[in-house]
Amino acid sequence: MEFKRDIKFTSQRLHFEIVSDQYVQDIFRELTPKVAKFLPFVPTGKIEDTYGFVSYSLNQLKKGEDITFVVLDRETNSFVGCCGIHEITSESASLGIWLKESASGKGLGTELIEALENYANKSLSVDCLIYNVDKNNKGSIKIAEKLGFVYHKSFLRKVSEEKVLDMLQYVKSTN
């Protein structure tokens, strides 16, 4: 199933739209090593890799496998971070988020996951949502538990020779 490039929706404080080249500079600037600490990739410091991320994301959207959004502040229209609904199948979809450093600690992560969940429940036919978090990412664990996701299993995710994430998988039924 191919998804349209014009998907947009809002939550209380945030606006979501499909990732595009328009936001490459924001993504490149805000995806710092500190922000990426618990993410399944390592920022390279090369702007062309950010363009590659956007291109890959749009291709995944076209194939109906992932929907990657940029997140903007509704009042200021400033960039807040990125999020997505990934690995979409008829059984499940995986939710992922990252916020720029200055947006952390304001409850936006919870709002992001809740908004993605609401969008998925209205627009996708999946039986459950998956939210994978590193076991050391206390903020994301709080989000999962607060929103009713249930611990399912743990696993290691090798990102690179230097970076291995110790993941906890949380799931939530959409029924």
Side-chain angles (χ1 to χ4, degrees), residues 65-66 85-89 92-94 130 132 157:
E65 295 177 9
D66 293 335
I85 304 171
H86 307 291
E87 301 165 358
I88 301 167
T89 69
S92 65
S94 180
I130 298 168
N132 295 319
R157 185 166 189 181

Side-chain angles (χ1 to χ4, degrees), residues 43-62:
T44 64
K46 299 176 184 172
I47 190 80
E48 57 268 19
D49 290 339
T50 306
Y51 279 104
F53 161 74
V54 171
S55 177
Y56 173 81
S57 297
L58 293 174
N59 189 47
Q60 292 298 99
L61 179 76
K62 187 175 183 176

Side-chain angles (χ1 to χ4, degrees), residues 131 140-151 168 170:
Y131 185 41
S140 286
I141 292 169
K142 283 183 187 177
I143 291 169
E145 293 173 351
K146 179 178 181 177
L147 295 179
F149 285 78
V150 177
Y151 171 79
L168 303 175
Y170 289 86

Side-chain angles (χ1 to χ4, degrees), residues 8-16 71-77 80 106-116 118-119 122 146-147:
K8 294 179 182 182
F9 61 95
T10 60
S11 63
Q12 181 181 347
R13 298 177 287 174
L14 303 170
H15 171 76
F16 299 76
V71 183
L72 308 170
D73 180 285
R74 280 182 68 179
E75 284 186 20
T76 65
N77 210 35
V80 174
K106 300 177 181 178
L108 294 175
T110 301
E111 188 172 332
L112 274 164
I113 290 295
E114 196 167 40
L116 288 176
N118 289 338
Y119 175 82
K122 290 178 189 169
K146 179 178 181 177
L147 295 179

Side-chain angles (χ1 to χ4, degrees), residues 106-173:
K106 300 177 181 178
L108 294 175
T110 301
E111 188 172 332
L112 274 164
I113 290 295
E114 196 167 40
L116 288 176
E117 181 181 357
N118 289 338
Y119 175 82
N121 287 336
K122 290 178 189 169
S123 304
L124 304 175
S125 296
V126 297
D127 296 330
C128 75
L129 297 174
I130 298 168
Y131 185 41
N132 295 319
V133 302
D134 185 278
K135 77 172 191 173
N136 297 305
N137 189 341
K138 305 300 182 207
S140 286
I141 292 169
K142 283 183 187 177
I143 291 169
E145 293 173 351
K146 179 178 181 177
L147 295 179
F149 285 78
V150 177
Y151 171 79
H152 177 64
K153 67 178 182 178
S154 60
F155 63 97
L156 295 177
R157 185 166 189 181
K158 186 175 181 178
V159 178
S160 68
E161 289 299 321
E162 301 83 30
K163 185 175 183 179
V164 178
L165 300 175
D166 194 353
M167 304 299 288
L168 303 175
Q169 184 174 86
Y170 289 86
V171 297
K172 187 174 185 180
S173 174

